[in-house]
Amino acid sequence: MMRTVAAVAVAVLLAAAVAAEASELKVGYYDKSCRGVENVVKWHVARAIKANRKSGAALVRLIFHDCFVRGCDASVLLDPTPENPNTEKTAPINIGLAAFDLLDDIKSAVEDRCPGVVSCADILIFAARDAASLLSNGHVHFDALAGRLDGVHSHAAEAQQDLPDSTFTIAELIQRSRSW
C-alpha cells in the first residue's frame, strides 16, 4: 500500500512541478490571504482517514484522475449539467471515484474561513498531499505549490483519452505525465 501511495504521490508531484513551470504557483500562496488554510484541510483529511482509511486512498486517486486530464484544475469535481451532461466525473474510466463529499465539507470549512479565496484545485492538491502523508506515516511528503485556478471545462471523452490504463507501470506513468 505504501509503495502505491508513494508512486502516485511521485506522479502527482511531477504533474504539479510541470504545471508550476508555466504559472505563478508557489509554496505558501495563501499565507496572507487565507492564513491557516492548509491546517484546515489537513484536519479534515485526518479526521476522515481516522474514520475510514479508504478516504485517504480516494483522495490520492482523485488527484491522480484530475491531474492527468487538463492538469490539476479540479475539473474532475464538476458535476454534470443540462448543458454538459458528460463531465469527467461521468467517464467510465472514472467509475468508483470517491471523496467528493469530503471535499465538499473541506471547501465549506475553507469558505467559512476565507470566502472566495481558495480554489477547489488547491484544496484538492492539499488534501491529496495530506492523505498521502498520513497513509504513509509521514514517509511521503512534499510542499504543495498553490495558486491554481479552477477549471471550467470537463469532458468525459477527455478523461477516457488522457487517463492511463490501470496496467501502466510507474515508469509509464511518469513518462505520460511528462507529455503534458
Side-chain angles (χ1 to χ4, degrees), residues 127-149:
R129 173 206 54 198
D130 295 340
S133 181
L134 290 165
L135 290 173
S136 71
N137 295 319
H139 290 98
V140 173
H141 181 76
F142 56 91
D143 290 326
L145 302 170
R148 288 169 188 76
L149 298 177

Side-chain angles (χ1 to χ4, degrees), residues 77-147:
L77 304 179
L78 294 174
D79 289 320
T81 64
E83 298 81 30
N84 184 16
N86 298 311
T87 63
E88 291 172 43
K89 205 184 252 192
T90 67
I93 200 163
N94 283 335
I95 287 177
L97 287 181
F100 297 110
D101 291 341
L102 172 56
L103 287 167
D104 287 343
D105 291 345
I106 296 169
K107 179 63 173 174
S108 179
V110 169
E111 283 297 307
D112 287 346
R113 184 182 192 99
C114 309
V117 175
V118 183
S119 70
C120 292
D122 285 337
I123 290 171
L124 182 53
I125 289 286
F126 296 150
R129 173 206 54 198
D130 295 340
S133 181
L134 290 165
L135 290 173
S136 71
N137 295 319
H139 290 98
V140 173
H141 181 76
F142 56 91
D143 290 326
L145 302 170

Side-chain angles (χ1 to χ4, degrees), residues 35-90:
R35 191 168 208 82
V37 67
E38 293 186 52
N39 292 329
V40 171
V41 174
K42 187 173 186 172
W43 184 86
H44 282 274
V45 171
R47 185 179 72 170
I49 289 174
K50 185 175 180 182
N52 183 350
R53 289 184 64 81
K54 290 179 184 178
S55 298
L59 288 169
V60 172
R61 182 173 182 232
L62 198 55
I63 193 64
F64 180 82
H65 281 246
D66 183 51
C67 290
F68 264 89
V69 182
R70 292 184 171 265
C72 306
D73 66 350
S75 58
V76 73
L77 304 179
L78 294 174
D79 289 320
T81 64
E83 298 81 30
N84 184 16
N86 298 311
T87 63
E88 291 172 43
K89 205 184 252 192
T90 67

